[in-house]
Amino acid sequence: MPLLEIRDLHVRVEDREILRGLDLLVNAGEVHAIMGPNGSGKSTLSHVIAGKPGYEVTDGQILFRGEDLLAMQPNERAAKGVFLAFQYPLEIPGVATMNFLRTAFNAQRKARGQEEFSTPAFLKRVRQVAKSLSIPQSALKRGVNVGFSGGEKKRNEILQMALFEPSLCILDEIDSGLDIDAMRVVAAGINALRSPDRAIVIITHYQRLLNHVVPDTVHVMARGRVKKSGDKHLAIELEASGYARYGDAA
C-alpha cells in the first residue's frame, strides 16, 4: 500500500480551478521532488494535503496509508504523521520557540497514545537536534521565527520535522531564501531524516537543493497536473531546458 496516494484531484480557490486531475503515488522510504513553473499548483497541493483552509476539493481522493485524508482535520493529519514545512514560516511574537515546540510535540504524542515527555527529557532532546542543525540555544528562547533570517526560519522548520518524526514530510520550497551554507545545513537535516518508514516530498523550482538531497523520483507539474515523471536526471534536464514546454501544455 502506498504511503500517499492521490487520485484525480481537482481543487478550486474561489472561482479558479488550480489542480485539474492530479495523480501521485508516494511510497514509504522514497524521496520525491515536485518541480514546475510558477502557478502550476505546487503549493496548493501541499496546502491541501496538510488541510489548510481556503481550498475547495471538488473531486478526487487523497489517501494516507489507505485512509481518507480529506475527511480529517489538520490536527488529525499531523497526528497521523503528515508534516508541512512552510515556504514562508509565520512569526508568532510572544510565544517562545521552546514552549511552542514542547506543546506541539507532546500534543502529537498524546494524540498518538504515546507518553508525553517530561520537561527535562524534552529539553535534552531539542538541544541535541538544534545543535545538529547549527541552531544556537539562544534562538530557542526567542519568539517563534521572530527576527529570524530566512535561513534560520527554514532550519527551524527542519528542527520541527526532526522532533515530530512524521511519516510524510512535505517541504514547500524549503530552499528559498537560503545561502550556500544554510542550504547545506538544511540538506543535511533532510538527509538525516531519510528512512524506510518515511517519505519526503520536496517542492522546488530549482535543481540546486537536489544536488544535496538526491530524489528517487522527479515530477514536473504544470497547469494543475503532473505532466512528466522521471529519475534524478529529469531535474538536471529541467535546469538546462526550463519549464516552457510544460507550462504551455494543456
Side-chain angles (χ1 to χ4, degrees), residues 128-189:
Q128 288 175 336
V129 177
K131 184 178 180 181
S132 71
L133 293 169
S134 302
I135 297 175
Q137 300 299 309
S138 58
L140 301 175
K141 300 176 183 177
R142 293 163 57 183
V144 177
N145 291 322
V146 176
F148 285 20
S149 68
E152 288 172 330
K153 289 179 179 178
K154 297 305 175 70
R155 273 182 279 186
N156 204 24
E157 294 290 285
I158 300 299
L159 170 63
Q160 293 172 46
M161 191 167 75
L163 284 172
F164 301 161
E165 298 183 325
S167 301
L168 175 64
C169 307
I170 311 289
L171 309 179
D172 186 10
E173 298 195 32
I174 195 73
D175 50 343
S176 65
L178 298 183
D179 60 25
I180 294 173
D181 292 333
M183 176 84 73
R184 289 174 176 161
V185 171
V186 167

Side-chain angles (χ1 to χ4, degrees), residues 6-11 17-24 58-60 221-227:
I6 300 177
R7 300 173 180 166
D8 193 29
L9 186 66
H10 292 252
V11 174
E17 187 173 41
I18 306 296
L19 299 184
R20 306 172 182 180
L22 184 138
D23 297 298
L24 186 67
T58 57
D59 204 355
M221 265 188 76
R223 298 196 176 190
R225 296 176 184 163
V226 172
K227 295 292 185 180

Side-chain angles (χ1 to χ4, degrees), residues 42-82:
K42 303 186 300 299
S43 291
T44 294
L45 174 62
S46 69
H47 294 165
V48 172
I49 293 173
K52 183 178 179 180
Y55 298 89
E56 180 188 1
V57 177
T58 57
D59 204 355
Q61 290 180 298
I62 302 179
L63 303 177
F64 183 67
R65 292 198 181 102
E67 293 187 77
D68 181 5
L69 198 67
L70 295 175
M72 303 177 197
Q73 295 299 313
N75 61 309
E76 295 173 317
R77 301 181 196 198
K80 288 285 184 180
V82 176

Side-chain angles (χ1 to χ4, degrees), residues 77-108:
R77 301 181 196 198
K80 288 285 184 180
V82 176
F83 178 87
L84 171 63
F86 293 104
Q87 181 180 359
Y88 303 110
L90 294 174
E91 295 188 4
I92 310 178
V95 178
T97 298
M98 185 69 84
N99 289 337
F100 168 79
L101 293 172
R102 186 173 65 246
T103 300
F105 177 81
N106 277 331
Q108 288 203 357

